[in-house]
Amino acid sequence: MTKSEIPEAIYQNINTKDNEGCLDLKTHRQKHQPPQLTGSISVKSRKLRALEVCLGLLCALLLTAVIVLCVYFSIQRKHLLTHITELNEDREQLLNQNNDLTEEREQILKHNDDLTEERKQLLTNITNLNRERERLLNHIENLTKEREQLRNDKWKMWPYEQDLPVDKFKWICYNNSFYFISSEMKSWSDSRRDCQQRKADLAIIKSTEEKTFFQKVVDRNFWIGLTKTDVWKWLDGTVLTNGSKTDSSNCAVVAEGGYYTSACNSNNGWICEKTHHY
């Protein structure tokens, strides 16, 4: 076909199409597009789909992460609230313990104050006792001086100079009688024998005043001239009216508290009495 024949063919085709209807140029172009153009569109479409899938997965992952984080933070929040509650309870308990310790401290301080007052009272009592002790020591010292004075002055009342005993400074004078107070200890019979060797005999207490005198000068048990057979009698035969008949011992001693019974073979001190008629 020559170039002059090509337009005629085209016109003929156009005429033919006009007889059949208008030709869709777009469809005509698509039909006549090269095959490689269609393949490029398909690749792009697949890439877009892959990108959409990736974005969907990423969104799903992000949503999952958000949900997990929400659950995690919710759990942590509950834990924190529980921990805060426990801390508040511990705080209340510590406050209660602190209050208890404060009360206990106040009680200890009060007890300490009481002990301090008690200590002051004890110190005061000790001071008073020391003063009383000093007073008693002074009184004892005065009594000792009086006793020594009596011993020094007793011989002024002795009526017979030739009857002075050799151990005159061991005798004391009271109510016109002289008394020897032993420093040894013997039985009742040995004590009386010692008095007889001194030209005396065991003491006979004739009055309440004399009894009181002996109770002041003795500091332990001393034999006196009082024994019991059926009744209690003094060596001069005077019966002791208030003596007990049921005592198991038959000899008597004098002490700070008065008369006491003692076994005659026991060892005690003794008091010898010397009067003018010896």
Side-chain angles (χ1 to χ4, degrees):
M1 182 179 293
T2 61
K3 293 180 180 181
S4 59
E5 293 176 352
I6 292 172
E8 291 180 357
I10 292 172
Y11 288 128
Q12 288 177 1
N13 289 332
I14 292 171
N15 291 331
T16 304
K17 294 297 178 181
D18 291 336
N19 294 329
E20 296 177 357
C22 296
L23 177 65
D24 190 352
L25 294 178
K26 183 178 179 181
T27 304
H28 179 74
R29 292 192 190 97
Q30 291 177 354
K31 289 181 179 180
H32 291 84
Q33 286 180 354
Q36 64 272 16
L37 185 60
T38 305
S40 176
I41 293 171
S42 177
V43 171
K44 288 181 179 180
S45 177
R46 285 197 298 274
K47 287 182 179 179
L48 288 173
R49 280 198 197 116
L51 183 59
E52 291 175 355
V53 171
C54 289
L55 289 174
L57 291 175
L58 183 59
C59 290
L61 289 174
L62 288 174
L63 181 60
T64 303
V66 170
I67 293 172
V68 170
L69 288 175
C70 289
V71 173
Y72 174 76
F73 284 122
S74 178
I75 294 172
Q76 291 298 320
R77 179 177 177 275
K78 290 181 180 179
H79 288 168
L80 287 174
L81 290 176
T82 302
H83 186 61
I84 289 172
T85 302
E86 292 175 353
L87 289 176
N88 288 330
E89 292 177 355
D90 292 340
R91 177 177 174 274
E92 292 294 330
Q93 185 175 1
L94 289 174
L95 289 175
N96 292 332
Q97 290 178 356
N98 184 51
N99 292 332
D100 294 338
L101 289 174
T102 301
E103 293 178 357
E104 185 175 356
R105 176 178 175 274
E106 291 177 355
Q107 292 178 357
I108 291 173
L109 290 175
K110 183 179 179 181
H111 183 62
N112 186 47
D113 293 338
D114 294 339
L115 289 176
T116 302
E117 292 295 329
E118 186 175 354
R119 177 177 174 274
K120 291 180 180 178
Q121 185 64 36
L122 288 174
L123 290 175
T124 303
N125 292 338
I126 290 172
T127 303
N128 294 332
L129 289 174
N130 287 331
R131 291 175 180 174
E132 182 67 17
R133 176 176 174 271
E134 291 295 330
R135 189 187 67 80
L136 290 175
L137 289 175
N138 291 332
H139 183 64
I140 291 172
E141 185 178 359
N142 292 332
L143 289 177
T144 303
K145 290 179 179 179
E146 290 179 3
R147 179 180 176 183
E148 291 298 327
Q149 186 66 33
L150 287 173
R151 286 182 176 179
N152 293 331
D153 296 341
K154 64 185 177 180
W155 301 109
K156 297 177 181 180
M157 300 178 62
W158 193 261
Y160 305 106
E161 186 70 22
Q162 65 275 14
D163 292 333
L164 289 177
V166 178
D167 53 352
K168 63 179 181 179
F169 294 107
K170 295 182 181 179
W171 293 73
I172 60 175
C173 178
Y174 177 77
N175 198 17
N176 295 325
S177 294
F178 288 86
Y179 300 94
F180 172 82
I181 300 177
S182 72
S183 59
E184 301 178 18
M185 299 179 69
K186 294 182 180 181
S187 65
W188 187 90
S189 57
D190 290 339
S191 298
R192 186 180 186 191
R193 188 175 303 110
D194 179 83
C195 290
Q196 290 173 345
Q197 290 174 357
R198 299 174 188 273
K199 298 181 180 181
D201 207 341
L202 289 174
I204 298 174
I205 301 175
K206 303 179 181 66
S207 64
T208 304
E209 291 78 9
E210 193 173 5
K211 179 181 177 183
T212 303
F213 168 74
F214 280 114
Q215 289 175 336
K216 288 181 179 180
V217 298
V218 298
D219 55 357
R220 52 190 172 88
N221 293 342
F222 286 87
W223 292 122
I224 54 177
L226 180 64
T227 58
K228 184 188 74 171
T229 52
D230 295 332
V231 293
W232 285 97
K233 289 183 180 181
W234 295 100
L235 291 177
D236 61 357
T238 304
V239 176
L240 184 65
T241 57
N242 57 351
S244 174
K245 297 181 180 181
T246 59
D247 294 329
S248 58
S249 300
N250 295 325
C251 295
V253 294
V254 65
E256 293 181 2
Y259 302 142
Y260 298 96
T261 61
S262 181
C264 296
N265 58 354
S266 62
N267 291 327
N268 291 297
W270 65 93
I271 300 175
C272 299
E273 180 180 6
K274 187 177 182 64
T275 57
H276 296 168
H277 61 274
Y278 278 105

